[in-house]
Amino acid sequence: MNAKLGRDVFFSFFMFTADLRPQDARYSRVLIDHLKALTDMGYDGFDVHIAAQPTTVDHKLEVDHYVGLKKVFEQAGLGEVKFTTNVGTTRTFDPTSPYEEQRRQALSYLKSRVDITHVLGGDSIMSGPFIYPYGVFPVTDTDEPIWSDALQDWMKPRYDAARSVFEELLEYAAAREVKLAVEPVKSWETPPPNMVSEVLDFLEGLEHPQGGVTVDTAQVVMESQGPSVLKDNIARAVRQDRLYYVHISAPDRGAVKDSWIPWDVVSSEIEPVYGGPYLIEVFNAIPPFDRSMRMARRRFWRPGEDDPVPGRDSAYDVARAALEELGERTT
């Protein structure tokens, strides 16, 4: 636990990669160097993206690769480091599909991600946009995009289709002590759910009492119904014991220090009622984020991976400054 903040503070590996490549021994050495540097800096744990593999890859094989990666971390003296995971569903693994077979495939995929989360982090959190497939925008039969009222109406049967999948998934995750925290993501990036209220509405419609929400400061600035509604939604999530994860992230997904983060909401609405970890989340200008997020800003160079750039912040500089900023804003 971070001594100054009195709670765990995690750092997102979106600064370095979108794929841990667990079967790549050489890259594992790079990951270990980053983990050690950031742990020494004061971070308690890390959020890692579990990349989707080709549909022909067996999920058990994927899990086995992460079992091996965890052993590599343990052998490097990192056995006590904590991990959460970031997971998204895909066009193929779609729990909202109208087709039963595709929903079964999605359930198998999501269960494997629960297993990977448990392998890496034990009693941990799996977060991300894993209701509707990330970035898959629907179109009509004539290839016209669906937006606004039509999109909201289109989503209703998709949510209905996903209910049985999520009820079984929540049961599976609870047995493995993994919390599922759905993250709403802004509408220019992916279809609904885009707001905290939409995630809570979906979860409240399930028979299983568990399942939570991730509140990301970047997302609620760029896609929300306003500060008063956000406060109500945070209180609603707390009443239902569904506030599982909080991401501290700038609207441009860059450096946290001196950014447009709603620190008043964090300090007054979240800090007094939330006991979980904070995640510092910075998306670096690396593939695939540079393209998918249309990043114009320069890359934060990654020690051990990129050549040093004089006069430009490194990934470690940004991480250290973010930890200091969080401490100043919440203590």
Side-chain angles (χ1 to χ4, degrees):
M1 181 178 292
N2 185 282
K4 182 176 181 181
L5 294 172
R7 70 165 74 238
D8 285 342
V9 182
F10 286 25
F11 191 75
S12 171
F13 259 57
F14 281 151
M15 175 65 87
F16 306 107
T17 184
D19 186 356
L20 297 184
R21 296 164 15 207
Q23 68 277 29
D24 184 339
R26 182 177 297 180
Y27 190 61
S28 295
R29 184 69 250 172
V30 174
L31 297 176
I32 287 168
D33 289 344
H34 290 322
L35 291 172
K36 287 184 174 180
L38 291 159
T39 301
D40 290 346
M41 202 178 291
Y43 283 98
D44 302 287
F46 304 94
D47 188 67
V48 293
H49 183 243
I50 307 304
Q53 301 301 316
T55 56
T56 54
V57 175
D58 181 76
H59 293 319
K60 183 181 182 305
L61 182 61
E62 290 186 88
V63 176
D64 289 345
H65 284 153
Y66 283 94
V67 170
L69 181 62
K70 178 67 172 179
K71 289 180 179 177
V72 170
F73 290 162
E74 290 171 348
Q75 291 166 0
L78 296 166
E80 300 303 314
V81 172
K82 302 172 185 178
F83 290 94
T84 59
T85 61
N86 182 286
V87 170
T89 43
T90 69
R91 190 185 297 273
T92 299
F93 300 120
D94 178 5
T96 75
S97 170
Y99 305 108
E100 184 179 356
E101 176 61 28
Q102 193 171 13
R103 293 197 301 273
R104 282 201 298 266
Q105 289 178 328
L107 178 59
S108 178
Y109 165 83
L110 287 169
K111 283 181 174 180
S112 73
R113 272 53 196 160
V114 170
D115 291 338
I116 291 169
T117 304
H118 182 69
V119 163
L120 290 176
D123 181 2
S124 190
I125 301 169
M126 181 176 108
S127 180
F130 53 83
I131 297 180
Y132 182 81
Y134 175 79
V136 180
F137 290 92
V139 295
T140 66
D141 290 343
T142 57
D143 286 333
E144 291 295 323
I146 300 174
W147 297 110
S148 190
D149 288 358
L151 178 58
Q152 292 292 328
D153 293 341
W154 187 87
M155 282 298 302
K156 288 179 182 178
R158 310 294 291 216
Y159 287 135
D160 290 341
R163 283 198 182 107
S164 62
V165 172
F166 271 81
E167 284 167 356
E168 184 170 344
L169 181 67
L170 285 164
E171 196 75 37
Y172 187 86
R176 287 149 184 81
E177 299 184 311
V178 172
K179 290 184 175 181
L180 301 184
V182 179
E183 181 180 0
V185 175
K186 55 192 174 297
S187 60
W188 69 258
E189 201 172 326
T190 192
N194 305 121
M195 293 181 287
V196 173
S197 58
E198 291 174 325
V199 172
L200 293 176
D201 288 346
F202 174 77
L203 294 173
E204 287 172 6
L206 302 178
E207 292 184 8
H208 198 286
Q210 297 184 0
V213 64
T214 293
V215 172
D216 184 306
T217 59
Q219 306 295 357
V220 299
V221 167
M222 293 185 284
E223 184 95 30
S224 73
Q225 296 157 295
S228 62
V229 174
L230 175 61
K231 292 177 183 179
D232 290 344
N233 282 329
I234 290 171
R236 176 183 170 191
V238 170
R239 284 196 307 272
Q240 299 175 8
D241 193 25
R242 296 190 192 275
L243 183 58
Y244 282 1
Y245 211 1
V246 175
H247 292 184
I248 305 297
S249 188
D252 73 340
R253 316 318 297 271
V256 165
K257 185 174 179 60
D258 193 29
S259 65
W260 297 104
I261 288 175
W263 289 112
D264 57 327
V265 172
V266 175
S267 61
S268 63
E269 304 299 325
I270 294 176
E271 179 71 13
V273 298
Y274 174 65
Y278 285 133
L279 172 69
I280 299 293
E281 188 177 52
V282 179
F283 286 72
N284 204 355
I286 56 173
F289 307 131
D290 50 358
R291 296 185 301 275
S292 64
M293 295 189 174
R294 301 179 177 91
M295 290 185 177
R297 58 178 163 81
R298 293 188 180 277
R299 177 183 301 183
F300 304 120
W301 61 273
R302 299 162 297 175
E305 296 191 67
D306 303 318
D307 292 333
V309 182
R312 191 182 304 168
D313 285 341
S314 73
Y316 294 174
D317 294 329
V318 174
R320 186 177 295 104
L323 193 59
E324 293 171 355
E325 181 90 345
L326 180 63
E328 292 171 1
R329 296 285 190 167
T330 57
T331 56

